[in-house]
Amino acid sequence: MKTVLTTLAALVAAVGTGLSAHAADFPAKPVTIIVPFAAGGGTDITTRTLAEPMAAALGGEIVVKNTAGAGGTIGAAETARARPDGYTVGMMPVGPMTTQPHLRELPYNPDSFDYICLAYTAPSSLVVRKDSPFEDLQDMIAYAKEHPGELNYGVQAVGSIPHVAGLGLAEATGAEFTFIPYKGSAPTFKAMLDGSVDMFVAHISFLTQNGDQVRSLAMFSSERVDGAEDLPTSGDQGVPMDFPIWGGIVAPKGIPDEARAALESACEEGIHSDAFTERMKTLRQPVAFMGSEEFEAFVRSEFDKNEKLLVGAGLGK
């Protein structure tokens, strides 16, 4: 009997040692990053730009896989149910992580993931046409209060960050807007140009690409943006708001600590690499990084903030 127990103990110890060695040798095979949108979009481009320097820092190979559909929730669900070994992770944007779970029943929530790093973030801006009568945010708010519901606010999709930012603006100021949903930024922009909507919220890169046709009333960020210091924030105008468009790497819950640490370190090194920072500069996207713990706290805070706004607007599931 003692011999059997000794043998079992030796087997358990051997298995444990093998698992530890395997985790310590991470990665022993390619790591897949799931992008929950089609190839060619902003999240996909950022992920593919990061993959090479991150793989070099990791000492392995990274494969990018696109799983598009349902506002990014199909890719998020695939990430959540993947084997928790560190070899399948996802580049998850703000929508699938913090707004979509409040709009529909989904097989995941913030507790479904281990958090690796924030990989990108960019401020959003409330834009109007160049010939708009509104010179600043307070001009627009004063008019909206005097004419409740008259101003049309275009949103790229119900429950999107531009929509949530509009709900936050209405709550913070007491102004009333009529929200009109479109399918993406391009049709929303077209609607503003033809006068169907008065304003919409856009990524900061939109301003640099279309500055001859639009102007910013306010940046929805906590501080002015490097390279665009002349653009006032909403806080500068008495309405503190922060609605960034961001994304980060998450893994299914329960990956080995060694794998998470290796991925976090490689993410940080990749984000601060010359290759990544120069490409992001070309795309006019600020470089940002948060480590595992800070990123998790950030996501949970954003999740709660967006839930309050969506439920308050009657859009909760």
Side-chain angles (χ1 to χ4, degrees):
M1 182 66 177
K2 184 179 293 186
T3 301
V4 172
L5 290 175
T6 301
T7 303
L8 285 172
L11 283 171
V12 170
V15 170
T17 301
L19 288 174
S20 297
H22 180 73
D25 291 339
F26 181 89
K29 61 181 181 179
V31 172
T32 296
I33 301 180
I34 294 172
V35 174
F37 299 119
T43 301
D44 179 69
I45 292 171
T46 300
T47 305
R48 292 180 186 276
T49 302
L50 177 60
E52 186 173 345
M54 184 174 170
L58 196 60
E61 182 182 354
I62 291 179
V63 177
V64 178
K65 175 188 178 185
N66 297 91
T67 302
T73 59
I74 294 177
E78 180 178 344
T79 302
R81 67 172 178 266
R83 184 176 179 180
D85 55 11
Y87 289 99
T88 299
V89 299
M91 179 69 83
M92 292 298 123
V94 53
M97 292 296 291
T98 71
T99 65
Q100 293 295 333
H102 303 305
L103 300 174
R104 65 184 83 177
E105 292 295 337
L106 293 171
Y108 67 85
N109 59 48
D111 294 330
S112 304
F113 302 101
D114 279 338
Y115 295 81
I116 307 300
C117 64
L118 176 76
Y120 66 89
T121 184
S124 54
S125 170
L126 182 66
V127 299
V128 295
R129 288 191 323 202
K130 277 280 192 183
D131 61 358
S132 170
F134 306 124
E135 294 295 331
D136 56 34
L137 183 63
Q138 289 298 344
D139 279 349
M140 185 275 291
I141 291 171
Y143 185 91
K145 287 183 175 181
E146 291 177 7
H147 305 84
E150 183 179 315
L151 293 183
N152 291 332
Y153 187 120
V155 297
Q156 289 83 328
V158 173
S160 63
I161 283 302
H163 187 192
V164 173
L167 295 175
L169 181 62
E171 181 186 70
T173 63
E176 292 183 22
F177 309 109
T178 297
F179 293 97
I180 302 178
Y182 293 87
K183 293 183 178 179
S185 295
T188 311
F189 179 40
K190 182 177 181 297
M192 189 178 73
L193 292 181
D194 69 23
S196 298
V197 300
D198 300 292
M199 71 197 92
F200 77 103
V201 169
H203 188 283
I204 187 174
S205 63
F206 180 88
L207 291 175
T208 56
Q209 295 165 3
N210 301 280
D212 59 331
Q213 295 176 292
V214 304
R215 70 168 179 268
S216 172
L217 291 185
M219 301 299 296
F220 288 152
S221 58
S222 57
E223 56 188 33
R224 295 203 180 196
V225 181
D226 290 344
E229 290 86 356
D230 59 318
L231 300 178
T233 68
S234 58
D236 292 335
Q237 302 174 75
V239 188
M241 292 177 58
D242 193 14
F243 285 90
I245 298 170
W246 54 264
I249 297 178
V250 299
K253 189 72 174 180
I255 68 170
D257 290 342
E258 294 85 351
R260 179 163 61 175
L263 289 166
E264 179 184 2
S265 177
C267 179
E268 181 174 16
E269 191 169 333
I271 284 172
H272 291 121
S273 67
D274 290 341
F276 186 76
T277 55
E278 287 303 313
R279 178 60 170 151
M280 291 301 100
K281 188 182 297 182
T282 301
L283 296 173
R284 299 180 176 89
Q285 180 156 292
V287 173
F289 171 80
M290 288 183 191
S292 177
E293 292 185 6
E294 185 181 6
F295 180 42
E296 179 173 0
F298 172 73
V299 172
R300 291 184 182 278
S301 175
E302 291 284 286
F303 184 88
D304 292 342
K305 177 181 74 175
N306 294 338
E307 177 183 29
K308 179 183 176 183
L309 292 169
L310 289 168
V311 171
L315 297 172
K317 59 192 176 185

